[in-house]
Amino acid sequence: MTQHLPDYALQAEALEKIYPARKNSPAKHALRGVDLAIPRGSIFGLLGPNGAGKSTFINIFAGLVTKTAGRGAIWGVDIDKRPREARAAIGVVPQELAMDVFFTPFETLELMAGFYGVPKSERRTLEILDIMGLADKRDAYVRQLSGGMKRRLLVAKALVHNPPLLVLDEPTAGVDIELRRQLWEYVVRLNEAGVTIVLTTHYLEEAQELCGQIAIVNHGEVVACESKDQLLKRLNTKTLVIEPGEPLCAVPPGFEHADAVIRKDGALAITYKVGQASVARLIEIYHASGGRIADLRTEEPDLEDVFLALTYAADSAA
């Protein structure tokens, strides 16, 4: 009999979390009725400023935070009605490098596999250590590992029970470029093998490259949840970048009321709404100011532009 696979790897309905007031701080409404459905088999980005509620959201599904209201499900299993079964379907890689420094990587993974009830005959400890580039460190104490190796060990710990859903909470924070590249290559291979990936990161270029669908959270609310392509079309803007024939001391006449700036490299960048201006007209204005053009190009908005428009710009207007 073919096992039924859910349409969504993770679902949240009207999820609320209020941290109670403490002696020196008021109550905090961390999540405000969050509705989110993460498709099975996707690489899903969960983005937001610090304090937006991302970690609270993840920790509710990891069993580390008790929700105030709402419903959650992992791999189609309700986290309240069948919590052990639900949490067996998720692996979480936290931000913090929290592990016992007096264990070896081999012992750490064996212990974690035991916590999940994985029979010894089904454990993949040596395979996972090899995949994560830690096979030669299997018997070294964790305290002897570099920061990058400890980060890889965190990922390895989340994989010991072969979960169909893997959550990576800022997995590349503080790691070098080469390790970051290796980690993403492995994440893509996992996804190709059927594992759903949920990623939170402040490296927006990583989210733009890896994620097919992205949710942006701000002040505990989902302010956008769309495919990456739809999200990037939200701004409906382009930027014309002109490299001048002679250095510019100020924005040329004709662009005083436009969104035009001189970049650090000396290029003039003019951002315009598609349909309200044209490259030809902007070039005409530049020539009319007496400027010569050494080179020019157009740039599409990236995820950082959209992120800022939906979070920080909204905060400034509030």
Side-chain angles (χ1 to χ4, degrees):
M1 181 181 294
T2 303
Q3 182 183 8
H4 172 70
L5 295 176
D7 292 330
Y8 298 105
L10 184 148
Q11 290 172 279
E13 296 177 4
L15 206 61
E16 297 265 344
K17 176 59 185 178
I18 301 174
Y19 291 101
R22 294 183 178 179
K23 188 174 182 180
N24 297 319
S25 59
K28 177 176 175 58
H29 206 155
L31 295 179
R32 301 170 181 268
V34 170
D35 293 315
L36 205 57
I38 297 177
R40 171 176 53 85
S42 64
I43 300 183
F44 189 97
L46 185 63
L47 309 180
N50 288 330
K54 304 185 302 296
S55 291
T56 294
F57 180 85
I58 289 169
N59 287 335
I60 286 173
F61 287 92
L64 301 176
V65 170
T66 302
K67 62 183 172 59
T68 303
R71 176 183 174 274
I74 302 170
W75 214 248
V77 179
D78 191 287
I79 62 174
D80 291 324
K81 296 177 181 176
R82 293 147 64 192
R84 293 189 65 179
E85 185 180 343
R87 271 135 205 167
I90 187 173
V92 178
V93 181
Q95 294 183 39
E96 300 81 12
L97 292 172
M99 57 189 78
D100 194 318
V101 296
F102 294 102
F103 280 86
T104 67
F106 181 86
E107 292 168 339
T108 298
L109 297 196
E110 284 289 295
L111 183 65
M112 185 63 61
F115 286 154
Y116 279 102
V118 181
K120 286 196 173 184
S121 61
E122 297 178 15
R123 293 181 187 177
R124 303 162 45 238
T125 301
L126 293 178
E127 176 190 342
I128 294 172
L129 286 173
D130 184 53
I131 289 170
M132 298 309 300
L134 294 170
D136 60 336
K137 300 292 183 180
R138 56 163 285 175
D139 296 320
Y141 288 117
V142 169
R143 68 174 183 268
Q144 298 172 316
L145 302 182
S146 67
M149 290 177 181
K150 290 176 182 175
R151 183 69 61 183
R152 277 182 272 172
L153 184 56
L154 280 182
V155 178
K157 286 175 63 179
L159 296 172
V160 295
H161 58 300
N162 199 30
L165 172 62
L166 182 65
V167 178
L168 304 170
D169 192 5
E170 299 288 349
T172 58
V175 303
D176 60 55
I177 294 174
E178 179 61 20
L179 175 57
R180 191 178 300 161
R181 182 187 61 79
Q182 293 174 359
L183 180 59
W184 291 136
E185 287 177 354
Y186 182 60
V187 165
V188 170
R189 291 203 302 272
L190 277 176
N191 180 249
E192 290 172 346
V195 178
T196 303
I197 308 293
V198 177
L199 164 68
T200 79
T201 179
H202 283 104
Y203 297 103
L204 297 183
E205 67 277 9
E206 291 180 345
Q208 183 166 339
E209 181 178 347
L210 291 164
C211 300
Q213 188 170 355
I214 293 170
I216 296 178
V217 181
N218 197 28
H219 298 304
E221 298 179 315
V222 176
V223 295
C225 182
E226 300 170 359
S227 72
K228 176 177 62 182
D229 292 339
Q230 288 176 312
L231 206 55
L232 291 173
K233 290 177 181 176
R234 274 196 174 218
L235 293 185
N236 194 35
T237 62
K238 290 186 178 183
T239 300
L240 174 65
V241 181
I242 297 175
E243 294 185 13
E246 299 85 17
L248 295 174
C249 298
V251 173
F255 295 111
E256 297 91 342
H257 303 295
D259 184 2
V261 296
I262 298 175
R263 293 180 173 176
K264 290 181 179 179
D265 61 0
L268 174 66
I270 310 154
T271 300
Y272 62 96
K273 289 278 187 180
V274 176
Q276 295 182 9
S278 68
V279 170
R281 177 56 183 158
L282 295 175
I283 292 174
E284 183 181 319
I285 295 171
Y286 182 76
H287 279 311
S289 72
R292 283 195 315 111
I293 297 176
D295 197 4
L296 58 80
R297 66 184 183 276
T298 58
E299 295 177 349
E300 303 283 344
D302 59 19
L303 188 57
E304 182 176 354
D305 297 322
V306 179
F307 180 84
L308 291 172
L310 290 173
T311 55
Y312 296 110
D315 290 345
S316 299

